[in-house]
Amino acid sequence: MKAFVTLRDVAVHQELIKDSVFRAHAARADNPEQALEFLRDVQTRHQDASHLCWAYKIGEQYRFSDGGEPGGTAGQPILRAIEGQGLDHVVVGVIRYFGGTKLGAGGLMRAYGGTAAEALRTAGKQTESPRAAFVAEVSFEHMGVLYHALDAFSAQERQEEYTAQGLRVRASLPADEIEPFRTMLRDGTKGRFGLMMPETAAS
């Protein structure tokens, strides 16, 4: 898994286009359930809106909805706004308060895509590195080396277990720090350690 850029906070951007109000709400979402929960919250707070159109992209997963607008005029432009800025783990919902003037297919695409793009452009962003879970084992004489390495790399989700042979620790690190961590353990224990990688998970 590669590092990705996502949103740091919820972002909102509103535009008035030919008497209709378009208001984009964007946020980070790490799974489809989080994305849909965010959209339900947006809809609850804008129950009188004419439409709620949306899209999300989470790794290889993506979905979009035109929310009652003509097919292809809202959800896909919102998704393209997310992809066009190289973002991931992001959901965007754009509500519309219809002002009485029809925009046509091209106008709707520009309105929904443009409002979403501006919300994303002005949003605070952060780069996330996927986390790799691991199990490290050392003998009792090298416990200090393992503890030093865990602290040096700020390992998270630490679970310690003593065995007949020594110390076993389950934890996680950013995926790109696993090899430097392995090197520190190898040098400190002169190769007498175990390191297993049972799974990876996005941070």
Side-chain angles (χ1 to χ4, degrees), residues 99-135:
T101 301
K102 292 186 177 181
L103 301 181
L108 287 173
M109 294 172 69
R110 287 189 295 273
Y112 280 104
T115 306
E118 188 63 15
L120 295 171
R121 187 187 70 80
T122 58
K125 301 175 182 71
Q126 62 187 23
T127 300
E128 292 281 354
S129 295
R131 299 193 70 82
F134 64 87
V135 179

Side-chain angles (χ1 to χ4, degrees), residues 133-153 155 158 167-173 177-197:
F134 64 87
V135 179
E137 294 182 303
V138 296
S139 63
F140 288 110
E141 65 180 297
H142 293 128
M143 284 172 48
V145 174
L146 177 53
Y147 280 132
H148 174 69
L150 292 169
D151 291 340
F153 286 91
R158 289 163 61 161
L167 175 65
R168 177 186 296 138
V169 177
R170 299 176 186 273
S172 70
L173 289 173
E177 293 184 1
I178 286 293
E179 287 310 311
F181 176 78
R182 187 194 305 273
T183 298
M184 182 176 284
L185 279 185
R186 184 178 64 241
D187 292 348
T189 65
K190 294 182 171 55
R192 297 169 59 191
F193 73 100
L195 185 63
M196 296 172 288
M197 308 290 298

Side-chain angles (χ1 to χ4, degrees), residues 1 21 32-33 40 69 89 99 126 142 146 157 166 184 193:
M1 295 175 65
V21 173
E33 293 74 23
R40 281 193 292 270
E69 295 282 25
H89 290 241
Q126 62 187 23
H142 293 128
L146 177 53
E157 305 168 275
M184 182 176 284
F193 73 100

